[in-house]
Amino acid sequence: MTCGYDDRVILENVNLTVPRGKVLALMGTSGGGKTTVLRLIGRLLAPMSGQVLFDGVDLATLDTDALYTVRRRMGMLFQFGALFTDLSVFDNVAFPLREHTNLNDSMIRDLVLMKLNAVGLRGARDLLPSQVSGGMARRVALARAIALDPDLIMYDEPFAGLDPISMSVAATLIRDLNNALGVTSIVVSHDVDETFLIADHVVFVANGRIVAQGSPDDMRRSEDPLVQQFVGGHPDGPVRFHYPAVPLAEDFGVGGSVR
């Protein structure tokens, strides 16, 4: 599968299978195409060539109604939560239930309280997003993502901007909910330690292609220089510290005229 924006190719000849019931981590350098994979799965972006299959169905063949039906089987935790700021915690979680089901208010109330209880925030139901911490807001967003009991949950940078405690709580919730609900999870993350603790399979994306994949231990043992640099957090390697430039002496006009 190849895809991009306009004429700019982001992912080229990528072949990826997401194992059912597992936590798959998409990792790699910034701009490598990780979030683009999530957009392809949600059909927010169409491939230039190839197919994107969900449960064996080519998403490109679906009409609008069928696509919306498939999307209801997906949950999405957006980067930084993306909560509705003028709705309470309760109403944020209730939103997909009110939009996509015909359940009565009593049933919606019970379901929302169950989802909030699963992320430890039943007591915060009447608060606004501005009244909770960043970590709590991320957990509210997770409760909203599982409101419709999806088969697939996608997480876009779920650990970004969190303190160590909130990060650990978020990671534990992702792993525990995956096991308890029997869902499939895709986690886009740059955080090596937390992601490796919860992932069953890691796919390393860089320069528009998959450069390595396997278990977290496989990634730690990888001999690929780019993977080694990323996992080790080294400042220099295949991803250079210096942006390509003319030689320093030439730029400062040493031995020649200054431009």
Side-chain angles (χ1 to χ4, degrees):
M1 179 273 302
T2 296
C3 76
Y5 303 95
D6 297 323
D7 295 329
R8 183 165 62 100
V9 174
I10 302 297
L11 296 170
E12 187 170 13
N13 298 325
V14 170
N15 187 4
L16 172 64
T17 299
V18 180
R20 188 186 296 270
K22 302 294 184 181
V23 176
L24 180 141
L26 280 176
M27 308 192 77
T29 54
S30 297
K34 303 180 298 298
T35 300
T36 299
V37 173
L38 303 187
R39 293 184 178 132
L40 285 164
I41 295 172
R43 197 64 169 87
L44 299 175
L45 179 67
M48 294 173 172
S49 64
Q51 294 178 308
V52 179
L53 305 178
F54 180 81
D55 205 11
V57 176
D58 183 357
L59 295 179
T61 65
L62 302 179
D63 61 21
T64 301
D65 288 341
L67 178 60
Y68 285 170
T69 298
V70 167
R71 283 178 175 166
R72 283 194 286 272
R73 298 174 59 193
M74 304 176 185
M76 180 71 188
L77 180 66
F78 297 96
Q79 194 171 149
F80 302 113
L83 297 177
F84 298 113
T85 56
D86 57 342
L87 297 183
S88 68
V89 164
F90 181 96
D91 288 330
N92 264 279
V93 180
F95 185 84
L97 293 166
R98 290 168 174 160
E99 285 292 307
H100 299 294
T101 74
N102 294 316
L103 298 174
N104 60 42
D105 289 344
S106 177
M107 182 65 73
I108 288 176
R109 178 184 182 278
D110 289 348
L111 286 172
V112 169
L113 294 183
M114 287 171 58
K115 304 306 180 184
L116 286 173
N117 195 61
V119 300
L121 293 177
R122 180 167 48 86
R125 60 193 174 194
D126 295 325
L127 299 178
L128 290 171
S130 61
Q131 296 173 309
V132 301
S133 69
M136 291 172 67
R138 207 73 55 90
R139 287 152 63 189
V140 174
L142 178 53
R144 184 179 63 184
I146 63 173
L148 294 173
D149 294 324
D151 298 312
L152 170 69
I153 305 176
M154 295 178 282
Y155 301 84
D156 192 7
E157 295 290 355
F159 310 127
L162 297 183
D163 63 78
I165 295 175
S166 297
M167 192 183 301
S168 180
V169 168
T172 300
L173 277 173
I174 291 172
R175 182 73 255 183
D176 289 350
L177 287 172
N178 194 87
N179 295 341
L181 301 176
V183 299
T184 301
S185 299
I186 302 176
V187 181
V188 169
S189 177
H190 289 104
D191 191 278
V192 173
D193 293 335
E194 292 296 338
T195 305
F196 277 19
L197 282 175
I198 64 172
D200 298 299
H201 191 77
V202 179
V203 175
F204 197 92
V205 181
N207 302 319
R209 60 188 180 91
I210 295 175
V211 298
Q213 61 178 307
S215 69
D217 286 339
D218 292 334
M219 294 300 99
R220 291 188 180 97
R221 294 191 297 263
S222 175
E223 297 182 359
D224 185 286
L226 190 57
V227 176
Q228 289 181 341
Q229 183 185 5
F230 187 90
V231 173
H234 306 306
D236 212 353
V239 179
R240 298 297 182 187
F241 172 72
H242 284 286
Y243 192 82
V246 300
L248 189 65
E250 180 182 337
D251 235 1
F252 281 90
V254 178
S257 61
V258 179
R259 289 184 299 168

